[in-house]
Amino acid sequence: MTENWIPLSECINICEKNWLRDARNEANQGAAEAQINYGRILLRGTSFIRADPEKGLKYLKKASRHNAEAAYTIGKEFLSGKRIRQDVYKAYFYLRIASLFRCRCGRMKEEYHSGRISHAHPCFPYIAKQTLVQETFPEDCENHFQNRFSEWRSREE
C-alpha cells in the first residue's frame, strides 16, 4: 500500500493559494473584514500575488465606508508614500474618516487610551485622532475634508 505524500512546502503553497482565492471571493461579495485583509495583501503582495497597490486601495476604500481600520490603513498609506504616491490631503481625509467612527473599547476605554493597560486590539478611531494631532498637515486640510466629505458619503466607491 503506497501513501500519497506531498512535500510540506507544496502543501503550504496549496493552502495559501486556496486562502487567497477565498479571501478574494469574500472581498468581492462585500465582507468588510475580507476587503481589509485582501486589500492589505494586494498592497504588499505575496509569493503568489504581485503587489498591486491601486487595486488594494479599491478594496480598502470599499471597506472604509463601514470600518475605521480600513480608513486608517488608507490614511497611513497616503501619509507614508511607501507603496502609493504620498498625498497629505488624502491621508488627512481618510484619517479623519477613521476618527469619526465610534470607539468600541467599552468600559476600559480610559485605561486603554491612557496607556495604563495594554489591549489586544488597536482602537483605530483613537489612533487616527492621535495621528491627526501628531503629524503636520497643511492648514487647509480640514476645509478640504469638509468639502469632500458629503460627496464621499453620498457616492458608492
Side-chain angles (χ1 to χ4, degrees), residues 63-105:
S64 73
R65 299 190 159 284
H66 310 286
N67 188 289
E69 180 181 0
Y72 175 77
T73 301
I74 296 169
K76 290 296 283 188
E77 287 293 328
F78 277 118
L79 193 58
S80 77
K82 290 179 184 173
R83 289 177 265 277
I84 57 174
R85 186 176 51 83
Q86 185 180 39
D87 187 325
V88 293
Y89 290 94
K90 288 180 181 178
Y92 185 90
F93 182 83
Y94 282 100
L95 288 169
R96 277 283 277 127
I97 294 294
S99 75
L100 296 176
F101 282 87
R102 189 175 62 127
C103 166
R104 296 176 188 230
C105 291

Side-chain angles (χ1 to χ4, degrees), residues 25-33 35:
N25 290 342
E26 286 181 41
N28 287 332
Q29 292 173 4
E33 192 71 30
Q35 289 171 335

Side-chain angles (χ1 to χ4, degrees), residues 75 79 87-93 95 131-142:
L79 193 58
D87 187 325
V88 293
Y89 290 94
K90 288 180 181 178
Y92 185 90
F93 182 83
L95 288 169
T131 304
L132 288 166
V133 170
Q134 293 169 352
E135 296 291 332
T136 304
F137 290 96
E139 289 183 24
D140 62 338
C141 277
E142 183 60 27

